[in-house]
Amino acid sequence: MTTAYVLSGGGSLGAVQVGMLQALTERGESPDLLIGTSAGAINVTYVAGHGTRRASLDTLANLWGGLRRRDVFPLSPGRHLLALLGRRESMFCATGLRRLLTTHLPYELLQDATIPVHVVATNLLSGQEVLLSTGNVVSAVLASTAVPGLLPAVPREGLTLVDGGLANNTAISQAVALGADRIFVLPAGVACALETPPSSPYATALHALSFLTQQRLIHDVTVHSGQADLHLLPPLCPLAVSSADFTHGRELVDRARRAAGSWLDDGHDQLPHPERFLSLHQHTSAASPRRRKHLVSGSATTRAVGVAKSTVKDMGGGLGTTNLDPVEANVRLTAACLRPEGPQPPLS
């Protein structure tokens, strides 16, 4: 049996996937092959070189915890002006991201990775999906993360490549084509509890892109759930961190590790119709500063209980979470509030 890990794009929410990876490793899981898109490409190429040992994933968690916007989207007024005048193809340069990858990836070519790894990009001229399995690993990841207009496209193999999320943000289809019959899907998720829309152009672009890619993920999970043994890990919900906010990496990792761990322990990764846990939605009553703190971190016991109680109140009760421990509350909230048809009885 071939086990694949498929990691989606998601900007700063890529930190969520590190917590999911930790939960899988703690339960004895390991991948035979890795497939990643955009932020997910960063994570899979790291894991492909360093493995899924606890120490390796702790280092990856620390990298996300220390990552800041300037490391990925460095401010450069001169470049921004030139981009607006049509003299540059992107608002930001990829120097910081290239430096990060060069520093932390222990191999040069994709085919030399310890664990077979594949990276998804998009052909800018045709819009077609491109799977990168050989060649320089840094240029592959830069291509997969090159959000058009924000980061520069990457010329490679005679093509002009940009962010893979435009064509296939969560490449379940590629895992099936590569022969995987057991697939763990690690979605970065969508910020469903923002108080206000993103205020900057690049943050707005990333947030809007997350909606488009989430719709594709819902479709792909529906199509492929019968073609392989599909295990969907839970996106964090409620979530008040945008995909352009790099200041909550550590909290996202910790929260995702706990939520994914409980989800796996209870067998929820194999519930029928997994696409229902990915439905787009909004938490409209997350306006108070105190509750926003809960929705961002969800790391301390009192904060998690606060999320459970306030969300039950928002949704009219019926989730059975007020007397649960924080981890189980988070799992049940995820399962219930992401159903397209709304709150349902507690999971048993």
Side-chain angles (χ1 to χ4, degrees):
M1 181 171 286
T2 300
T3 297
Y5 286 4
V6 177
L7 280 66
S8 73
S12 65
L13 302 184
V16 169
Q17 296 169 338
V18 183
M20 294 175 173
L21 289 167
Q22 290 175 328
L24 287 167
T25 293
E26 288 167 359
R27 284 150 186 83
E29 298 289 350
S30 60
D32 298 305
L33 65 93
L34 297 156
I35 304 172
T37 303
S38 200
I42 297 173
N43 287 329
V44 297
T45 50
Y46 178 92
V47 170
H50 294 278
T52 58
R53 297 182 306 277
R54 180 171 180 174
S56 298
L57 295 179
D58 285 348
T59 300
L60 182 57
N62 290 333
L63 289 175
W64 277 100
L67 198 65
R68 293 295 178 265
R69 182 199 53 76
R70 62 180 176 272
D71 298 318
V72 181
F73 301 111
L75 289 177
S76 174
R79 184 183 180 93
H80 300 339
L81 178 59
L82 290 172
L84 289 173
L85 294 174
R87 303 283 296 277
R88 294 288 185 275
E89 65 170 310
S90 63
M91 295 290 291
F92 304 97
C93 68
T95 304
L97 185 54
R98 180 185 295 276
R99 183 185 307 113
L100 181 75
L101 296 170
T102 302
T103 301
H104 295 288
L105 295 182
Y107 57 100
E108 183 177 348
L109 303 176
L110 285 165
Q111 62 267 33
D112 292 337
T114 303
I115 303 172
V117 61
H118 309 269
V119 172
V120 178
T122 301
N123 183 338
L124 182 58
L125 296 182
S126 70
Q128 292 177 312
E129 174 182 354
V130 178
L131 188 68
L132 303 174
S133 304
T134 61
N136 185 268
V137 61
V138 172
S139 74
V141 177
L142 290 178
S144 186
T145 57
V147 181
L150 298 185
L151 290 170
V154 175
R156 182 181 162 118
E157 301 174 12
L159 303 175
T160 300
L161 302 179
V162 294
D163 196 301
L166 298 174
N168 196 351
N169 193 52
T170 312
I172 301 171
S173 58
Q174 292 289 358
V176 172
L178 289 166
D181 39 28
R182 186 167 179 260
I183 302 172
F184 285 89
V185 180
L186 284 64
V190 176
C192 57
L194 294 179
E195 296 175 13
T196 59
S199 58
S200 68
Y202 84 93
T204 300
L206 291 177
H207 187 60
L209 181 61
S210 72
F211 293 147
L212 297 175
T213 56
Q214 188 76 355
Q215 294 283 21
R216 169 65 188 266
L217 173 57
I218 293 169
H219 173 268
D220 285 357
V221 168
T222 303
V223 169
H224 296 293
S225 58
Q227 299 179 2
D229 182 14
L230 202 63
H231 299 255
L232 177 68
L233 273 67
L236 293 182
C237 174
L239 182 60
V241 179
S242 85
S243 53
D245 184 352
F246 289 87
T247 62
H248 300 285
R250 183 75 258 180
E251 295 148 342
L252 293 174
V253 171
D254 291 342
R255 184 179 166 193
R257 179 182 59 80
R258 294 195 307 273
S262 186
W263 188 266
L264 291 165
D265 290 343
D266 290 341
H268 293 163
D269 56 307
Q270 291 186 290
L271 288 172
H273 304 293
E275 68 277 1
R276 60 192 165 134
F277 304 117
L278 300 168
S279 177
L280 292 173
H281 61 284
Q282 180 186 14
H283 298 268
T284 57
S285 57
S288 73
R290 182 167 176 261
R291 186 169 179 231
R292 185 180 186 280
K293 192 174 182 181
H294 295 330
L295 301 183
V296 168
S297 68
S299 57
T301 298
T302 54
R303 292 176 183 172
V305 172
V307 171
K309 290 182 177 179
S310 58
T311 305
V312 168
K313 181 178 179 182
D314 296 341
M315 302 180 70
L319 302 184
T321 57
T322 53
N323 295 318
L324 298 175
D325 68 273
V327 173
E328 179 63 14
N330 185 71
V331 167
R332 292 196 182 188
L333 287 169
T334 301
C337 73
L338 292 183
R339 292 191 179 117
E341 65 270 22
Q344 297 292 315
L347 295 170
S348 57

